[in-house]
Amino acid sequence: METVVILTAISAFVSTNLDDIFILAAFFANPEFEAKNIVLGQYLGFVLLLMASSLAYFAQFFIPFQWISLLGFIPLFMGIRGLIKLWKPKNQDISPENDIRYGKGRKVGVVALVTVINGGDNLGVYVPLFASMNAYGLFITATIFLVLVGFWCILGFKLVNNRLLTDKIRNYGHQILPLVMITIGLLILLRGWL
């Protein structure tokens, strides 16, 4: 059971934060930002997303578990939508974070804001995932997420200096992400009805 929680936590984090690696890399490449501001901002934004998603844990005391597990349709549909997008012609890559004007002394807040704004997919996966867990599973998952945020920051920093790796992650990330989302959605749905 614990292995399933750990693997689910890792897959949920990776699937919802693949794009964050490139956003972090963009911040690390910007000379206006110090590494500590980026890391603090990323943690602040992620903790806000985590707190919002954790509220779903308390919903299980008021709503039957089988009904909460139906939230698994959210990542399932997000994954299906991602697979459909793979078959459509690709549009140019747009990075809205590059349009933000950075004010002095607000760098941590800017990184946190971009993390939260970019966190819609996080909420879509974490809310049903957390709602389907017990307190122990929620604690393990949150701990793994927080450790992985630090790893993501390191990876984003390393990507700034490694063009070859960046291209490979972008190529495979778009293909793997929908399948991981579908798997997470199905796991949530099955957990509620088995």
Side-chain angles (χ1 to χ4, degrees):
M1 179 67 177
E2 190 171 299
T3 304
V4 173
V5 171
I6 292 169
L7 292 176
T8 302
I10 292 170
S11 3
F13 183 89
V14 170
S15 69
T16 56
N17 290 289
L18 280 176
D19 53 346
D20 282 353
I21 292 175
F22 304 108
I23 292 171
L24 285 167
F27 278 123
F28 283 118
N30 188 328
E32 290 183 45
F33 286 84
E34 295 177 29
K36 66 178 179 182
N37 293 333
I38 298 166
V39 172
L40 287 173
Q42 181 69 12
Y43 266 104
L44 176 61
F46 193 82
V47 166
L48 291 172
L49 289 171
L50 203 57
M51 287 176 11
S53 301
S54 296
L55 294 176
Y57 167 75
F58 296 103
Q60 70 180 325
F61 297 113
F62 305 104
I63 303 170
F65 182 70
Q66 288 81 8
W67 291 103
I68 291 174
S69 70
L70 293 177
L71 291 172
F73 280 112
I74 295 171
L76 178 66
F77 288 136
M78 290 170 70
I80 291 170
R81 186 179 69 188
L83 283 177
I84 292 169
K85 284 183 180 180
L86 285 176
W87 292 318
K88 290 184 178 180
K90 293 184 179 183
N91 296 332
Q92 63 184 15
D93 202 12
I94 299 169
S95 299
E97 69 275 7
N98 293 333
D99 295 331
I100 297 173
R101 301 292 177 231
Y102 306 109
K104 194 169 190 167
R106 298 184 192 151
K107 293 175 178 86
V108 172
V110 169
V111 176
L113 181 62
V114 170
T115 302
V116 170
I117 289 170
N118 193 45
D121 56 340
N122 297 61
L123 292 173
V125 172
Y126 300 167
V127 166
L129 180 65
F130 290 178
S132 68
M133 294 183 160
N134 60 25
Y136 179 70
L138 183 61
F139 174 76
I140 296 250
T141 300
T143 303
I144 289 170
F145 282 1
L146 293 174
V147 169
L148 288 174
V149 167
F151 176 71
W152 240 232
C153 290
I154 293 168
L155 188 57
F157 182 80
K158 296 288 185 187
L159 283 175
V160 172
N161 301 315
N162 190 340
R163 278 291 210 213
L164 180 63
L165 187 58
T166 300
D167 292 340
K168 287 187 177 188
I169 290 175
R170 281 189 181 170
N171 289 338
Y172 295 117
H174 294 298
Q175 296 169 358
I176 294 170
L177 178 61
L179 298 174
V180 172
M181 298 286 276
I182 289 170
T183 302
I184 290 170
L186 289 174
L187 282 172
I188 293 168
L189 287 166
L190 289 175
R191 202 178 312 165
W193 295 95
L194 290 182

